[in-house]
Structure formats: C-alpha cells, structure tokens
Amino acid sequence: MGRKAALAGWLRELDAQDVQAVLALRRDAADRRPRSLRDLADELTSAASLRAAVDGLDQACRDVLDTAVRLGDEAGVEALAERLRCNGKASRAELKRTLLQLRARALVWPSEDRLVTSPGLRLLTEEPARRITPAPRAPRRAAQDRGFADRAATTPATSTVDGVTRLVELCDWDQVACRNGVGSRELRRVAGMLRADEPRARLWVELAVEARLLAVDDGRLTPTVRSDAWRAAPPAERLAALAEAWPRMTWTPGRQRPASAEPSSSEAGDRTRLGVLERYARLGEDEAFEHRHEVVAELVWSRPAVHSRAATEAALVEAESVGLIALGVSTALGRAVLAGRVAEVAGR
C-alpha cells in the first residue's frame, strides 16, 4: 500500500475531533473542501500544502521530521530516539512533543510499530541532525512606558521620512541608474549625496519603490505621479505611507543585492518583517524585551523557515528606523500597522 493510501487509511481511523484538528492546522487543505478522506489525503500531500505545513514548524520539529524522512521505512520512536540521542527524561519528553506536533499536522503518523512520513516530503538539510535543537531561553522582559517608547521612536522615524523625501527629490533632478536594481557602486554614490550610510540608503530606496514613490523608467529611478502629493503632505502622512509599505517588502532584510531588484520567489522578507513586528506586539502593557538577541534567537528557533539570525536582526533594525519598534517594545505605530490603522496614529 502506498503512503498516500496509508494516509487515507490512518485518517479513517481518527475520530471526527482529530480530523477537525488536522484541518485546523492545515487550513489550506481544508479550504479546498475535500469531499472524502481520500481527497483530503490528496490535498495534504500536495507540494504547496506540505511546504506550508513544514514552514510552520519549530526547529525541534524540523529536526525530528528530517530524521524520520532519512530513516524511511526504519523510522520508529526508538530509532528516532537513538539517532537523536534522546537518552534523558527531558529529551524524551521533547521527542514526544515534536511527534505529537507532526502527527497533528499529518506529517508523521503511527502504523503498528513504526512511523510513516507523508509522501512528498523532502530532506530539509544536507547534514543530518545529531540531536533535537533545544529551545532558547524565553526572552527576558522589563517594565517600559509605552508613551516613552513612542516618543523615542520619533527621531528615527522623522529621519527616515526626511531621507526618503530627499531621495525622491534627488531622483527628480539626478539620474540614478537602475538596471536590474540599483547596483552597489550607484548605491554608494547615492548614499554619499544623501549623507547616509549604504544600508540606510538601501532601505530608503526599497521603501520608496514599495510605497510607489519611485519607479524604474528607461533604466533609471524616477519619481511617480503619486510622489508629488506625498512630498506635499505633512510628515505624519508621509510616515504613514512608509510604515504601510515596510511589511510588504519581500526582499530578505540585510541581504546584499541590488536595491529595488525583483525578489526571487523563494524570498520571504515580508514574513520575516511581519514576524518581528507581531512578536513585539504580543508584549503586555508597559512591558519590554530586555535583550534583542534573545528575541532574535526565539524567532529563529520557532520559525526557522522564515527567520534566519542575520535577516531577523536586520528586520529589527529596519523596524526601529521606521518607528515601529523602540526601546524593546512595539510602538503605537507598529501596532497600528498590524491593525490596519496607521493613518490614525502616525501623527503621534
């Protein structure tokens, strides 16, 4: 019996509540409204659905899943425990947790004395995991007044608005070459004219393009019709446009590439940026993260498909530059971006 048929058979053994739990975690498959468990098995093993399910796993679950795929027909609880050196009580408990998570997503399920992995799964890494990656310590928190954080965000946000404004004005009278993106040499020239460092100039270019203030025309960056009204608007309105554009940028934060170049389909910069903003927005009232590196480590472990250390650190720097995060907390503007209410709070 093939694995897809085995999956359909396993689904038939579940009660209605367990099937609903699978559908809740694999919403893309549920949204296609399969009419039978065999149809559901087809949806759960599609490449797009598997990719979405794996992308939502933490690093420990990915370690166990990758090891199970490598073991193939030899996969079982004891085989996994031996391969991943789960010799202690804590590591055994973590193995049990990960298997429950994988089972709940129909990625791995039990069959007699072994474990079956979903057809269509591919190895996640070239090197096999030697153990289950432990979760980092929870980010420590401290008291912080949100109003004070909002005021601290004013200076970097104003600087970004000013920088993008000067960039658009520069492109109005100077030819900024943009053939397959603004290359490093041209970006350094622009940065020098704007009295900024290269990373800051890169961010300004990307924000301006994403906010449709600049566009590529005949191999150069030129202001759009939209930019006229934007430049004439008060600073708060200009900031609102940039704040709304920031989480839409798909290029990987911190990656060295021609500015404004078309991103590859594999880039997930928008999800990285949104993940950073959402994590800070979940803090309690008047509460802040003490150490940013602990937040980065948590995000990298909890969503490794979306967060790498370098990209997440770069996204955090960007968010601070736009005034979305300050002093370890999400500002009123940052929370408004998530709620779709930017225009209401940008003036603060």
Side-chain angles (χ1 to χ4, degrees), residues 184-202:
S184 296
R185 180 179 297 179
E186 182 71 340
L187 192 62
R188 284 194 295 269
R189 184 183 74 86
V190 170
M193 297 183 71
L194 296 175
R195 301 183 303 281
D197 56 30
E198 189 175 337
R200 194 178 302 268
R202 181 187 299 275

Side-chain angles (χ1 to χ4, degrees), residues 5-23:
L7 174 57
W10 175 68
L11 290 170
R12 291 190 190 96
E13 296 174 2
L14 301 179
D15 57 33
Q17 186 175 0
D18 286 337
V19 174
Q20 289 174 356
V22 171
L23 293 173

Side-chain angles (χ1 to χ4, degrees), residues 128-305:
R130 296 186 177 183
R131 61 176 183 138
I132 299 176
T133 305
R137 69 174 298 165
R140 285 168 283 185
R141 306 182 184 196
Q144 181 59 265
D145 180 78
R146 281 187 174 180
F148 189 59
D150 287 342
R151 290 189 291 275
T154 301
T155 298
T158 302
S159 176
T160 297
V161 171
D162 175 67
V164 175
T165 303
R166 289 188 290 117
L167 169 67
V168 175
E169 291 171 348
L170 172 66
C171 293
D172 207 3
W173 59 264
D174 187 34
Q175 291 195 4
V176 177
C178 185
R179 295 178 178 85
N180 297 319
V182 181
S184 296
R185 180 179 297 179
E186 182 71 340
L187 192 62
R188 284 194 295 269
R189 184 183 74 86
V190 170
M193 297 183 71
L194 296 175
R195 301 183 303 281
D197 56 30
E198 189 175 337
R200 194 178 302 268
R202 181 187 299 275
L203 175 61
W204 293 348
V205 170
E206 299 289 356
L207 282 170
V209 171
E210 187 62 46
R212 293 184 293 164
L213 306 174
L214 293 176
V216 180
D217 182 24
D218 195 24
R220 56 172 289 198
L221 278 181
T222 59
T224 63
V225 173
R226 178 189 177 98
S227 73
D228 294 335
W230 182 82
R231 278 183 280 179
E237 292 183 22
R238 282 181 278 160
L239 175 60
L242 300 181
E244 290 174 331
W246 179 77
R248 298 198 302 263
M249 299 193 304
T250 57
W251 60 280
T252 302
R255 180 180 169 219
Q256 293 301 308
R257 61 190 283 281
S260 82
E262 287 296 321
S264 69
S265 59
S266 62
E267 289 191 282
D270 52 341
R271 291 191 290 162
T272 302
R273 292 178 175 89
L274 195 60
V276 168
L277 202 55
E278 288 173 339
R279 185 65 189 94
Y280 276 82
R282 290 201 298 270
L283 282 165
E285 188 74 25
D286 293 333
E287 192 177 48
F289 287 124
E290 275 194 84
H291 305 288
R292 59 195 298 155
H293 71 272
E294 293 179 349
V295 184
V296 172
E298 180 191 58
L299 287 169
V300 170
W301 183 86
S302 62
R303 291 290 303 281

Side-chain angles (χ1 to χ4, degrees), residues 57-124:
L57 297 176
D58 61 44
Q59 186 59 57
C61 287
R62 289 169 71 93
D63 292 337
V64 173
L65 179 62
D66 198 56
T67 304
V69 172
R70 290 178 188 277
L71 288 170
D73 292 339
E74 298 178 5
V77 175
E78 292 306 316
L80 285 171
E82 180 180 356
R83 186 67 62 91
L84 293 169
R85 303 177 185 177
C86 299
N87 302 318
K89 185 176 181 181
S91 58
R92 280 279 184 166
E94 181 65 347
L95 176 60
K96 180 179 180 180
R97 181 195 72 84
T98 59
L99 287 174
L100 287 173
Q101 290 289 319
L102 296 173
R103 178 185 182 277
R105 290 165 173 77
L107 295 172
V108 175
W109 62 89
S111 177
E112 297 179 352
D113 60 346
R114 67 188 187 96
L115 296 170
V116 181
T117 57
S118 176
L121 287 172
R122 299 289 183 266
L123 292 176
L124 301 174

